[in-house]
Amino acid sequence: MDITKDKLLEKLEFFSNFKFNKNYNDLTKEEKFVAITDSIMALTSKDWTDQLGKKARQRKAYYFSAEFLIGRSLGNNLLNLGIYDLVNSILEEKGDRIKDIENEEEDAALGNGGLGRLAACFLESAASQGFNLDGYGIRYSEGLFKQFFKDGFQAEEGDDWSSFYNPWSKRIVSDEKIIKFKNQTVKACPYDMPIFGYKNGQINRLRLWQAEAVNEFDFNRFNNFDYDGAVREKNEAEDLTRVLYPNDERREGKLLRIKQQYFFVSASLQDIVSNYKKNFDDKEFKHFHEYVSIQLNDTHPVIGIPELIRILLDEEKISFEDSFNIARKIFNFTNHTILREAMEVWSVDLIDETSPRVLEIIQMIEQRLVEELYNKGFKEEEINFLRIVKDDSIHMANLAIFVSNKVNGVAELHTNILKNETLKDWYGAYPYKFTNKTNGVTQRRWLIYSNMELSDFIDRKLGSNEWREDFSKIKELEKFAEDEPSIREFLEIRKKKKIELTEIIKETTGIDVDPNSIFDVQVKRLHEYKRQLLNALHIVYLYHRLKEDKNFISEKRTFIFGAKAAPAYFRAKAVIKFINEIARVINNDKDIDGKIKVVFLENFRVSLGEKIYPACDFSEQISTAGKEASGTGNMKFMMNGAITIGTYDGANVEIFEKAGEENNIRFGKTVEELMEIKPNYDPYKIYQEDIYIKNALDSLMSGEFKDNESYMFLDIYNSLLKSEGGDRADRYFVLEDFESYRKAQEKISEVYKDEMRFGKMCLLNIANSAYFSSDRTIREYAEEIWKLESHN
Ligand SMILES: *Cc1c(COP(=O)(O)O)cnc(C)c1O
């Protein structure tokens, strides 16, 4: 790929004329973004086409995921194509700033959190390392939702991210597929996005399916004044891919979810099968598994297993036996949760209403499972426990584990809990299937692109930029841990990123924060197990202490939050209101001299994360031990030099191990300790015995913080102190870990005070972050599961 300044200039002018009937200089910023993107797409399209042809007969792996949390693409694509600086200088000559143009791009927020972002990091890392990994998913027209705050409460609106233009994707009408549900038939139309490898010429593909009506418009109905009826089929079809995770409190919502899943895996498998037939003369599909490996990202795409068998059996006339054996070689399953109750279960009638034939095939698979376990010598009740079909419900994780070639957890601790607790019966039956693949994040987006200043510093220190491709070289940074001038230079860069975030905070919230204060950050989805509430209650505690004595802490603190709550998750929304209330009260209280400030940024998303992760001093990873499968936010913070204040959970365990506990702050009970405490746990006792904890909790009820009569704070208060409906009081051990957390928080001030010590700790975190590159994760998948060769 040879993209020169002249070619770029020529294309920029061309697309300005072609798309907007204007000269480049007369375009709006938004139009400039489109013209630049179109130019890049045009200049790379020949290579992309060539690669599609070349790869048609090569082995490939496919990542099936209901979520791809891509965020913006412009900056990252320019970086990977090696033309970021070139485009930057062209734009400067034209009087534009590249960052302003980048900010015009809407995030493609086709995901919820870590699981979706992992899928996006994986595609990038695979392309950068020359592996043929393509993605298949859904093109939601409204994504998840956009979050904003109204009187401190979360409110949601649709996210029509692609309504202006979505120049990164190509609609390939000729590859449309037909999807047949029991009572509906729709078209699946593919939109293809290029995934550019880092300076290696590799272009992989992310294919996202959009649902469309077979007949968009009924002329006769319209002519007979039935205007709604005339477009009913169109609306019903398009509803299938409108939003991610439609509300499933009612049956209609559940049916929509399972139909979405079936829709995208059916289209993807039809695509893979038809490409195979086009490229190979193998009517019996004897060699299919030599070319195809599929990774199922959580249970959402698991219905693909019976669907592939259906396609092979019914359409390609392969026997059930052979179809089943092919599926067993091709599919692999990644589990992302520890809680059994969080694994998807669908009632038989919902699967039947989606596809009766798929239900029959699931029952045939179930029969195979029972036979196989019987032959292994399992007893009836043991077999019953592992059944796929139980009490008129389909257990998707059981289906996935039984048929998959490999099953993996996403961090050491998580995989061990799966083997020994959650899935121990499965592990007993099929130990060889289980493997660990600790998650990772791509350093190109999360360090090189998000923190260019730090990356230049690393280049200078290491005397080379090889670490950008071979991230194991980052270890050499360790040499500078004791070097005062280097640490000073490093701290200056950290300061600059904090000032940049300060400006964003001012712009979006109006709050003034001091960039010299400690930036203590918790950004992630809002969930009880992630314990934003522990953080919030500690802030209230600190505030109470400061009211008594404004010199209670020496270092100023800024607490920064970002989190979306699922729209139907009342308690998570209550915590958002609580934090916003804490922020309102504290930020306006003159008594405490601005010693602490609290900021909750709206609509946390990838593009905001790119500005937050590099500006953080202390990364809050405070989930209840045993609940966070891995976490990936923790890794992004680490790569940018933040110190983790965290529990012994998920990948934190491995972060502490690689970077050393002395360079991070660990607190809280371990999984084993919590298991022991659990039977006799009495949070009320802790509440009564510790006056500060009592005061912090009472602030929920005393009127110190106000929930506008929503009863949200009562709900939080009760959740901590009362057992309700079979749930223990304080299920997530907030009060149990409070004391330990308070001490950990004190350590933060102590560490920050000593600049050289702080800088050294930060630097050592970066130097030891190589393991958390998704390049390493992808190499492990490629070598051990997918059996892919690198084309680099
Ligand atoms: C990385 C990331 C997450 C995952 O964060 P965790 O702290 O691992 O839960 C969620 N949302 C966005 C936008 C991210 O970039």
Side-chain angles (χ1 to χ4, degrees), residues 113-134:
L115 176 149
R117 184 53 233 176
L118 184 77
C121 281
F122 278 5
L123 293 188
E124 196 277 346
S125 270
S128 290
Q129 296 186 99
F131 293 115
N132 290 344
L133 177 72
D134 286 348

PDB file of all heavy atoms in Angstrom, residues 113-134:
ATOM      1  N   GLY A 113     -19.828  -3.293  26.895  1.00  0.00           N
ATOM      2  CA  GLY A 113     -18.661  -3.014  27.728  1.00  0.00           C
ATOM      3  C   GLY A 113     -17.494  -3.890  27.316  1.00  0.00           C
ATOM      4  O   GLY A 113     -17.225  -4.070  26.123  1.00  0.00           O
ATOM      5  N   GLY A 114     -16.848  -4.461  28.306  1.00  0.00           N
ATOM      6  CA  GLY A 114     -15.607  -5.196  28.096  1.00  0.00           C
ATOM      7  C   GLY A 114     -15.688  -6.294  27.037  1.00  0.00           C
ATOM      8  O   GLY A 114     -14.788  -6.425  26.212  1.00  0.00           O
ATOM      9  N   LEU A 115     -16.776  -7.051  27.048  1.00  0.00           N
ATOM     10  CA  LEU A 115     -16.904  -8.177  26.117  1.00  0.00           C
ATOM     11  C   LEU A 115     -16.881  -7.705  24.656  1.00  0.00           C
ATOM     12  O   LEU A 115     -16.244  -8.315  23.804  1.00  0.00           O
ATOM     13  CB  LEU A 115     -18.194  -8.931  26.444  1.00  0.00           C
ATOM     14  CG  LEU A 115     -18.648 -10.092  25.583  1.00  0.00           C
ATOM     15  CD1 LEU A 115     -19.404 -11.076  26.458  1.00  0.00           C
ATOM     16  CD2 LEU A 115     -19.544  -9.655  24.455  1.00  0.00           C
ATOM     17  N   GLY A 116     -17.541  -6.613  24.389  1.00  0.00           N
ATOM     18  CA  GLY A 116     -17.588  -6.075  23.032  1.00  0.00           C
ATOM     19  C   GLY A 116     -16.289  -5.397  22.639  1.00  0.00           C
ATOM     20  O   GLY A 116     -15.844  -5.487  21.495  1.00  0.00           O
ATOM     21  N   ARG A 117     -15.673  -4.733  23.598  1.00  0.00           N
ATOM     22  CA  ARG A 117     -14.390  -4.079  23.305  1.00  0.00           C
ATOM     23  C   ARG A 117     -13.310  -5.147  23.080  1.00  0.00           C
ATOM     24  O   ARG A 117     -12.431  -4.974  22.248  1.00  0.00           O
ATOM     25  CB  ARG A 117     -14.020  -3.125  24.436  1.00  0.00           C
ATOM     26  CG  ARG A 117     -12.764  -2.305  24.211  1.00  0.00           C
ATOM     27  CD  ARG A 117     -12.766  -1.535  22.886  1.00  0.00           C
ATOM     28  NE  ARG A 117     -11.548  -1.828  22.145  1.00  0.00           N
ATOM     29  CZ  ARG A 117     -11.279  -1.380  20.911  1.00  0.00           C
ATOM     30  NH1 ARG A 117     -12.136  -0.615  20.260  1.00  0.00           N
ATOM     31  NH2 ARG A 117     -10.159  -1.712  20.313  1.00  0.00           N
ATOM     32  N   LEU A 118     -13.403  -6.249  23.791  1.00  0.00           N
ATOM     33  CA  LEU A 118     -12.455  -7.349  23.597  1.00  0.00           C
ATOM     34  C   LEU A 118     -12.509  -7.821  22.148  1.00  0.00           C
ATOM     35  O   LEU A 118     -11.476  -8.030  21.503  1.00  0.00           O
ATOM     36  CB  LEU A 118     -12.796  -8.510  24.535  1.00  0.00           C
ATOM     37  CG  LEU A 118     -11.825  -9.679  24.491  1.00  0.00           C
ATOM     38  CD1 LEU A 118     -10.553  -9.346  25.256  1.00  0.00           C
ATOM     39  CD2 LEU A 118     -12.444 -10.954  25.054  1.00  0.00           C
ATOM     40  N   ALA A 119     -13.733  -7.979  21.634  1.00  0.00           N
ATOM     41  CA  ALA A 119     -13.896  -8.437  20.256  1.00  0.00           C
ATOM     42  C   ALA A 119     -13.201  -7.472  19.292  1.00  0.00           C
ATOM     43  O   ALA A 119     -12.530  -7.889  18.340  1.00  0.00           O
ATOM     44  CB  ALA A 119     -15.375  -8.565  19.921  1.00  0.00           C
ATOM     45  N   ALA A 120     -13.335  -6.175  19.554  1.00  0.00           N
ATOM     46  CA  ALA A 120     -12.711  -5.175  18.680  1.00  0.00           C
ATOM     47  C   ALA A 120     -11.184  -5.216  18.808  1.00  0.00           C
ATOM     48  O   ALA A 120     -10.456  -5.166  17.807  1.00  0.00           O
ATOM     49  CB  ALA A 120     -13.246  -3.782  19.014  1.00  0.00           C
ATOM     50  N   CYS A 121     -10.678  -5.339  20.035  1.00  0.00           N
ATOM     51  CA  CYS A 121      -9.218  -5.436  20.225  1.00  0.00           C
ATOM     52  C   CYS A 121      -8.677  -6.691  19.531  1.00  0.00           C
ATOM     53  O   CYS A 121      -7.603  -6.657  18.922  1.00  0.00           O
ATOM     54  CB  CYS A 121      -8.863  -5.482  21.710  1.00  0.00           C
ATOM     55  SG  CYS A 121      -8.876  -3.875  22.539  1.00  0.00           S
ATOM     56  N   PHE A 122      -9.422  -7.782  19.623  1.00  0.00           N
ATOM     57  CA  PHE A 122      -8.964  -9.037  19.016  1.00  0.00           C
ATOM     58  C   PHE A 122      -8.828  -8.893  17.502  1.00  0.00           C
ATOM     59  O   PHE A 122      -7.846  -9.353  16.911  1.00  0.00           O
ATOM     60  CB  PHE A 122      -9.932 -10.184  19.343  1.00  0.00           C
ATOM     61  CG  PHE A 122      -9.699 -10.803  20.705  1.00  0.00           C
ATOM     62  CD1 PHE A 122      -8.763 -10.283  21.578  1.00  0.00           C
ATOM     63  CD2 PHE A 122     -10.420 -11.924  21.098  1.00  0.00           C
ATOM     64  CE1 PHE A 122      -8.542 -10.858  22.835  1.00  0.00           C
ATOM     65  CE2 PHE A 122     -10.212 -12.519  22.348  1.00  0.00           C
ATOM     66  CZ  PHE A 122      -9.276 -11.981  23.204  1.00  0.00           C
ATOM     67  N   LEU A 123      -9.811  -8.290  16.862  1.00  0.00           N
ATOM     68  CA  LEU A 123      -9.731  -8.164  15.401  1.00  0.00           C
ATOM     69  C   LEU A 123      -8.503  -7.342  15.020  1.00  0.00           C
ATOM     70  O   LEU A 123      -7.781  -7.677  14.077  1.00  0.00           O
ATOM     71  CB  LEU A 123     -10.998  -7.513  14.838  1.00  0.00           C
ATOM     72  CG  LEU A 123     -12.304  -8.306  14.941  1.00  0.00           C
ATOM     73  CD1 LEU A 123     -13.410  -7.599  14.169  1.00  0.00           C
ATOM     74  CD2 LEU A 123     -12.163  -9.744  14.452  1.00  0.00           C
ATOM     75  N   GLU A 124      -8.259  -6.270  15.759  1.00  0.00           N
ATOM     76  CA  GLU A 124      -7.109  -5.408  15.448  1.00  0.00           C
ATOM     77  C   GLU A 124      -5.800  -6.163  15.658  1.00  0.00           C
ATOM     78  O   GLU A 124      -4.894  -6.104  14.823  1.00  0.00           O
ATOM     79  CB  GLU A 124      -7.160  -4.144  16.307  1.00  0.00           C
ATOM     80  CG  GLU A 124      -6.257  -3.013  15.815  1.00  0.00           C
ATOM     81  CD  GLU A 124      -4.813  -3.128  16.251  1.00  0.00           C
ATOM     82  OE1 GLU A 124      -4.490  -3.920  17.161  1.00  0.00           O
ATOM     83  OE2 GLU A 124      -3.972  -2.413  15.659  1.00  0.00           O
ATOM     84  N   SER A 125      -5.700  -6.866  16.775  1.00  0.00           N
ATOM     85  CA  SER A 125      -4.454  -7.585  17.058  1.00  0.00           C
ATOM     86  C   SER A 125      -4.212  -8.706  16.056  1.00  0.00           C
ATOM     87  O   SER A 125      -3.069  -8.974  15.674  1.00  0.00           O
ATOM     88  CB  SER A 125      -4.491  -8.185  18.467  1.00  0.00           C
ATOM     89  OG  SER A 125      -3.983  -7.266  19.395  1.00  0.00           O
ATOM     90  N   ALA A 126      -5.275  -9.372  15.641  1.00  0.00           N
ATOM     91  CA  ALA A 126      -5.113 -10.463  14.674  1.00  0.00           C
ATOM     92  C   ALA A 126      -4.614  -9.896  13.349  1.00  0.00           C
ATOM     93  O   ALA A 126      -3.648 -10.408  12.771  1.00  0.00           O
ATOM     94  CB  ALA A 126      -6.429 -11.209  14.485  1.00  0.00           C
ATOM     95  N   ALA A 127      -5.229  -8.829  12.864  1.00  0.00           N
ATOM     96  CA  ALA A 127      -4.793  -8.231  11.598  1.00  0.00           C
ATOM     97  C   ALA A 127      -3.340  -7.776  11.713  1.00  0.00           C
ATOM     98  O   ALA A 127      -2.530  -8.005  10.813  1.00  0.00           O
ATOM     99  CB  ALA A 127      -5.701  -7.060  11.229  1.00  0.00           C
ATOM    100  N   SER A 128      -2.999  -7.168  12.834  1.00  0.00           N
ATOM    101  CA  SER A 128      -1.639  -6.633  12.993  1.00  0.00           C
ATOM    102  C   SER A 128      -0.594  -7.737  13.034  1.00  0.00           C
ATOM    103  O   SER A 128       0.566  -7.500  12.740  1.00  0.00           O
ATOM    104  CB  SER A 128      -1.553  -5.785  14.265  1.00  0.00           C
ATOM    105  OG  SER A 128      -2.288  -4.589  14.067  1.00  0.00           O
ATOM    106  N   GLN A 129      -1.014  -8.927  13.419  1.00  0.00           N
ATOM    107  CA  GLN A 129      -0.047 -10.021  13.464  1.00  0.00           C
ATOM    108  C   GLN A 129      -0.186 -10.972  12.289  1.00  0.00           C
ATOM    109  O   GLN A 129       0.406 -12.055  12.292  1.00  0.00           O
ATOM    110  CB  GLN A 129      -0.199 -10.768  14.774  1.00  0.00           C
ATOM    111  CG  GLN A 129       0.142  -9.847  15.927  1.00  0.00           C
ATOM    112  CD  GLN A 129       0.132 -10.588  17.217  1.00  0.00           C
ATOM    113  OE1 GLN A 129       1.180 -10.984  17.716  1.00  0.00           O
ATOM    114  NE2 GLN A 129      -1.040 -10.826  17.718  1.00  0.00           N
ATOM    115  N   GLY A 130      -0.970 -10.577  11.298  1.00  0.00           N
ATOM    116  CA  GLY A 130      -1.059 -11.363  10.072  1.00  0.00           C
ATOM    117  C   GLY A 130      -1.877 -12.642  10.191  1.00  0.00           C
ATOM    118  O   GLY A 130      -1.666 -13.584   9.423  1.00  0.00           O
ATOM    119  N   PHE A 131      -2.822 -12.670  11.118  1.00  0.00           N
ATOM    120  CA  PHE A 131      -3.699 -13.840  11.216  1.00  0.00           C
ATOM    121  C   PHE A 131      -5.013 -13.574  10.484  1.00  0.00           C
ATOM    122  O   PHE A 131      -5.558 -12.474  10.575  1.00  0.00           O
ATOM    123  CB  PHE A 131      -4.014 -14.180  12.676  1.00  0.00           C
ATOM    124  CG  PHE A 131      -2.819 -14.655  13.469  1.00  0.00           C
ATOM    125  CD1 PHE A 131      -2.330 -13.905  14.526  1.00  0.00           C
ATOM    126  CD2 PHE A 131      -2.194 -15.853  13.148  1.00  0.00           C
ATOM    127  CE1 PHE A 131      -1.232 -14.339  15.265  1.00  0.00           C
ATOM    128  CE2 PHE A 131      -1.095 -16.303  13.873  1.00  0.00           C
ATOM    129  CZ  PHE A 131      -0.609 -15.543  14.934  1.00  0.00           C
ATOM    130  N   ASN A 132      -5.516 -14.597   9.791  1.00  0.00           N
ATOM    131  CA  ASN A 132      -6.805 -14.456   9.108  1.00  0.00           C
ATOM    132  C   ASN A 132      -7.953 -14.649  10.098  1.00  0.00           C
ATOM    133  O   ASN A 132      -8.479 -15.739  10.260  1.00  0.00           O
ATOM    134  CB  ASN A 132      -6.947 -15.519   8.020  1.00  0.00           C
ATOM    135  CG  ASN A 132      -6.017 -15.278   6.850  1.00  0.00           C
ATOM    136  OD1 ASN A 132      -5.468 -14.179   6.693  1.00  0.00           O
ATOM    137  ND2 ASN A 132      -5.836 -16.289   6.026  1.00  0.00           N
ATOM    138  N   LEU A 133      -8.303 -13.579  10.760  1.00  0.00           N
ATOM    139  CA  LEU A 133      -9.441 -13.639  11.675  1.00  0.00           C
ATOM    140  C   LEU A 133     -10.458 -12.604  11.212  1.00  0.00           C
ATOM    141  O   LEU A 133     -10.178 -11.415  11.196  1.00  0.00           O
ATOM    142  CB  LEU A 133      -9.012 -13.320  13.106  1.00  0.00           C
ATOM    143  CG  LEU A 133     -10.165 -13.285  14.126  1.00  0.00           C
ATOM    144  CD1 LEU A 133     -10.688 -14.688  14.425  1.00  0.00           C
ATOM    145  CD2 LEU A 133      -9.732 -12.617  15.440  1.00  0.00           C
ATOM    146  N   ASP A 134     -11.637 -13.070  10.819  1.00  0.00           N
ATOM    147  CA  ASP A 134     -12.709 -12.161  10.420  1.00  0.00           C
ATOM    148  C   ASP A 134     -13.783 -12.125  11.507  1.00  0.00           C
ATOM    149  O   ASP A 134     -13.973 -13.105  12.226  1.00  0.00           O
ATOM    150  CB  ASP A 134     -13.346 -12.623   9.102  1.00  0.00           C
ATOM    151  CG  ASP A 134     -12.442 -12.337   7.905  1.00  0.00           C
ATOM    152  OD1 ASP A 134     -11.447 -11.595   8.070  1.00  0.00           O
ATOM    153  OD2 ASP A 134     -12.725 -12.866   6.814  1.00  0.00           O
TER     154      ASP A 134
END
